[in-house]
Amino acid sequence: MKVFPIPYAGASVNVFYEWKKLLPDRYELFMSELAGRGTRFREPCYQSVGEASEDIAKRISEQLEYDDEYVIFGHSMGALLTYEIYYKLKQMGTKEPRHLFFSGRNAPHVFEEREDIESMTNEVFLQKVEQYGGMPEEFYIKEIMDMFLPILRADFIILDNYKFQPKAEKISCGVSVFYADNDFSTHIKEMHKWSEVVEGNVKFHEFKGEHFFLNQYPNDIVNTIVKDTETQNIYCNMVDDM
C-alpha cells in the first residue's frame, strides 16, 4: 500500500518523514513534494489550488504501477488539495485511491470569507498565522523568515482565492476525517459536512489538541490510517467476491 501525504501551508512533505518508521512493512511512504519547497525550492510557488492539485496528481500518477493500491492523506491545506487531487486523478484515468484522509480542515464546500491575504502586511499576516500555533522559534530568525515567509504567504493566498466548484460525482472510495477538539480553524459541524461530498460512509476521528494535533500523535495518526485502510480493504474484497 503506497501512502502519499500532502502537507499543510508553508510545509515541505518532509514533515511526514517520521512516518517511514511508523508504517508497517506492507506500507510504503511516497514523498510527492510541492513546488517551491524541499527538493523543488527553485520552482515558483503555485498560483492556484487548481494548479497545485493538477501538479501533485501528475506526480502521484507517475509513481503508480497499474495495479498499485494507495491512499492519500492531507492536513489543513493538504486536505483541500487532496480533495481536488482525487478529481484530477479521475480525469487522468488513474486508478482511484483505496482511501482518502482529510485532516484539520472544514469540508471544501463550507463557505469561508475571503481575507485578502495579498494586501496584508507581513506583521498582520504573521498574526494570522500565529493563531494556528506550531511556529518554531527559529522561524523568526531573519534569514529563515526571508526564505519561508513567501512560501507560506503564497499558500495562504491560493487558499484565500479558492472557490468551491460542485463535482458531477461524489467521492466513491473510502474516506476518513481527522479533527482536533480545540482547533480554532475547524468546527465539528463543518467537519461532518465532508460526508456531503462522499458517496458512502465516512469515518470521523477526534483527537485532543489544536490545529497541529497530527504532530502530537504521529503514532496514533499512522495507526488509524492503517486501521481504516485495512477495514476498507476487507469491505472492498468482500464486494469483489460477490
Side-chain angles (χ1 to χ4, degrees):
M1 186 69 67
K2 294 183 176 181
V3 180
F4 293 92
I6 313 297
Y8 42 87
S12 161
V13 75
N14 285 328
V15 296
F16 297 101
Y17 190 80
E18 182 183 3
W19 287 17
K20 283 181 178 285
K21 298 180 295 182
L22 301 176
L23 285 164
D25 291 342
R26 60 190 180 277
Y27 284 72
E28 188 173 3
L29 191 66
F30 278 75
M31 307 292 233
S32 290
E33 187 61 273
L34 280 63
R37 65 214 77 195
T39 54
R40 303 179 65 191
F41 77 97
R42 294 187 184 278
E43 298 179 36
C45 293
Y46 301 114
Q47 298 297 304
S48 68
V49 167
E51 180 189 355
S53 57
E54 183 169 358
D55 175 59
I56 302 163
K58 286 179 180 176
R59 289 176 175 272
I60 289 175
S61 185
E62 288 168 359
Q63 296 180 79
L64 294 172
E65 301 295 333
Y66 175 75
D67 59 348
D68 277 346
E69 298 284 354
Y70 68 104
V71 303
I72 307 174
F73 174 96
H75 182 77
S76 195
M77 177 185 77
L80 180 61
L81 292 181
T82 297
Y83 173 75
E84 295 292 344
I85 287 166
Y86 172 83
Y87 289 97
K88 297 293 185 184
L89 289 167
K90 286 185 78 82
Q91 289 173 12
M92 294 174 190
T94 303
K95 177 181 178 179
E96 77 170 18
R98 175 64 72 185
H99 211 95
L100 297 178
F101 296 88
F102 301 115
S103 175
R105 185 176 176 88
N106 291 330
H109 57 300
V110 173
F111 175 75
E112 295 187 9
E113 189 172 348
R114 289 197 68 232
E115 299 182 86
D116 196 14
I117 303 294
E118 291 175 270
S119 299
M120 288 184 180
T121 64
N122 282 344
E123 182 180 4
V124 172
F125 176 64
L126 280 173
Q127 289 174 358
K128 174 179 174 56
V129 171
E130 285 166 355
Q131 295 178 77
Y132 291 85
M135 296 287 285
E137 289 185 16
E138 55 268 25
F139 177 83
Y140 296 95
I141 298 172
K142 185 180 185 305
E143 292 77 10
I144 294 178
M145 186 180 290
D146 288 347
M147 182 182 299
F148 289 105
L149 191 60
I151 299 169
L152 191 58
R153 185 188 279 273
D155 286 348
F156 270 77
I157 287 172
I158 67 170
L159 294 174
D160 196 36
N161 291 334
Y162 175 75
K163 293 181 180 178
F164 174 76
Q165 298 291 331
K167 314 300 184 187
E169 298 176 355
K170 293 185 177 182
I171 295 170
S172 57
C173 69
V175 170
S176 297
V177 174
F178 297 177
Y179 61 95
D181 61 353
N182 199 29
D183 183 350
F184 89 98
S185 70
T186 62
H187 187 281
I188 185 170
K189 179 181 176 182
E190 313 298 357
M191 293 299 289
H192 275 264
K193 287 184 178 179
W194 277 103
S195 61
E196 297 175 5
V197 297
V198 179
E199 181 99 10
N201 294 327
V202 177
K203 298 178 181 180
F204 293 92
H205 300 282
E206 181 180 273
F207 293 81
K208 295 290 184 184
E210 299 179 341
H211 187 66
F212 288 104
F213 64 92
L214 83 164
N215 294 331
Q216 291 178 262
Y217 311 107
N219 208 46
D220 292 340
I221 296 286
V222 168
N223 287 342
T224 305
I225 289 172
V226 172
K227 180 181 177 182
D228 285 5
T229 299
E230 301 199 345
T231 301
Q232 182 69 18
N233 237 339
I234 293 170
Y235 170 76
C236 288
N237 288 338
M238 288 173 63
V239 171
D240 291 342
D241 293 338
M242 291 175 68

